[in-house]
Amino acid sequence: MAKRPPADDQPLQCPRCIKKMRKQRHLKAVIDHCDACQGNFFDEGEMLAVLGKVADPEVWARGDRKRTPCASEITCPRCHKRMHMHPLGDDTLAVDVDFCLSCGGIWLDGGEVDAVMQIGARSLAAEAQQARKTKPQTKPPDTAPGLIGQYLSLFPKK
Ligand SMILES: [Zn+2]
Ligand SMILES: [Zn+2]
């Protein structure tokens, strides 16, 4: 596994508006949040810890993807490498997620958390349906919608 710097160091700088971000402790993660643009930075594994299986990037990656990843316009607030933009979703709901291929961090602009969770939940539901066809005893996946509500309530809209 790649070594990454400790999560509890100096405040990170927002890649969009260059302001210092606020650290918000939640469950097992420390999320870096920009109060100015509502952007969020998650270190590798933090989204999974905070939001459950719908936030697993591997789940999103399985979804239908017509556009290909490309270089993002922002740099990673953690390691300052250029991030990679991954288009997720389909024609009805699409969002571009910024991934850092170097440290595994994920940047989500304000409002994108919600959209990403919906895409993840959709993808899991489709898989569960597929699984029931082949293996009827399969347990439904833990989509834990309560976790999303908990997360969203951390950063109430003003
Ligand atoms: Zn910002
Ligand atoms: Zn990084």
Side-chain angles (χ1 to χ4, degrees):
M1 251 190 55
K3 235 172 88 184
R4 69 172 155 89
D8 282 313
D9 51 6
Q10 293 303 301
L12 299 181
Q13 203 176 44
C14 174
R16 292 255 183 245
C17 43
I18 324 298
K19 295 212 163 81
K20 289 252 190 294
M21 295 198 282
R22 173 161 65 89
K23 289 194 183 294
Q24 174 75 50
R25 218 165 252 292
H26 181 56
L27 303 178
K28 288 183 206 127
V30 180
I31 303 148
D32 298 278
H33 181 79
C34 177
D35 283 322
C37 69
Q38 304 298 314
N40 308 275
F41 181 73
F42 298 87
D43 285 302
E44 186 171 28
E46 280 187 342
M47 275 196 85
L48 198 56
V50 168
L51 294 160
K53 190 117 176 69
V54 289
D56 186 345
E58 283 191 18
V59 168
W60 312 333
R62 285 184 232 132
D64 173 37
R65 214 194 286 159
K66 292 197 185 77
R67 296 164 298 156
T68 47
C70 58
S72 166
E73 61 187 25
I74 60 172
T75 52
C76 175
R78 173 72 66 204
C79 64
H80 308 290
K81 297 251 162 62
R82 173 70 61 127
M83 296 188 90
H84 249 74
M85 200 174 75
H86 287 244
L88 301 177
D90 53 29
D91 296 340
T92 55
L93 182 67
V95 58
D96 294 325
V97 176
D98 295 294
F99 280 96
C100 177
L101 300 179
S102 170
C103 72
I106 297 172
W107 172 263
L108 291 177
D109 289 308
E112 285 185 346
V113 173
D114 209 16
V116 163
M117 294 306 99
Q118 284 183 51
I119 291 169
R122 228 186 251 183
S123 167
L124 281 179
E127 271 171 36
Q129 204 178 14
Q130 198 59 41
R132 271 196 297 274
K133 276 185 204 151
T134 47
K135 279 184 274 168
Q137 309 89 330
T138 310
K139 253 177 47 188
D142 170 26
T143 54
L147 289 172
I148 300 166
Q150 269 183 48
Y151 174 80
L152 293 175
S153 69
L154 288 178
F155 308 114
K157 294 204 173 71
K158 283 171 200 124

